[in-house]
Amino acid sequence: MAAKKAEQALVNRWRSILVLHARVQCELDRALHGHGLCGSDFEVLDVLAGTPDEDGSGSCGYRVQQISERVHLSQSALSRLVARLEKDGLVERSLCPEDRRGVRVALTPKGRARHGEALPVQRAVLHRMLAG
């Protein structure tokens, strides 16, 4: 009986985490809409914004596989999202110099500016929904 209660408590905790994630994601989508982004778009821009190259310009980017490990999207979903961000002029794709089969994704100046505008909005949502 005690094992059954412990298992149910674990399941209830998991479901609470899922509900919180869904609520935060919906709120992020609403808040970022004014910047022409959804939560997943912002996550990719945020990951890319943290990739300074040797001269500090941040233009080297990440390989698509590296991004997918950080944003928890499937490779195909991420590829579609990156294509949309590229079409909007926020990122650029290029062949990976160390492996010509790979593709690197980097922020454009427009993408860096959009990220900078949306960053305080995203952080405010996280603070409001998750702090305390």
Side-chain angles (χ1 to χ4, degrees):
M1 188 67 159
K4 198 74 159 160
K5 284 186 178 185
E7 182 178 296
Q8 188 57 50
L10 187 63
V11 169
N12 289 344
R13 183 156 187 239
W14 170 243
R15 289 182 180 151
S16 294
I17 291 168
L18 291 175
V19 167
L20 178 60
H21 177 268
R23 286 182 181 156
V24 172
Q25 193 64 47
C26 287
E27 186 60 28
L28 285 169
D29 288 344
R30 275 193 288 276
L32 293 169
H33 181 75
H35 294 278
L37 301 170
C38 69
S40 295
D41 297 341
F42 179 84
E43 286 302 318
V44 170
L45 297 181
D46 201 41
V47 166
L48 293 172
T51 61
D53 58 14
E54 295 85 20
D55 67 2
S57 70
S59 62
C60 67
Y62 276 121
R63 292 178 64 145
V64 173
Q65 176 62 33
Q66 292 172 302
I67 299 168
S68 71
E69 293 167 358
R70 290 170 173 80
V71 297
H72 309 291
L73 292 172
S74 69
Q75 192 116 10
S76 61
L78 179 60
S79 292
R80 288 189 301 272
L81 189 152
V82 167
R84 191 176 74 252
L85 293 175
E86 184 178 39
K87 182 178 176 221
D88 293 344
L90 302 177
V91 302
E92 58 190 3
R93 289 187 273 194
S94 60
L95 290 178
C96 186
E98 58 273 3
D99 178 3
R100 301 295 287 179
R101 296 170 295 169
V103 174
R104 281 204 173 274
V105 180
L107 286 176
T108 62
K110 181 180 177 182
R112 191 164 295 285
R114 181 81 53 92
H115 174 262
E117 295 163 3
L119 180 65
V121 173
Q122 189 259 6
R123 298 301 198 258
V125 169
L126 294 183
H127 188 270
R128 186 174 72 250
M129 303 285 296
L130 300 174

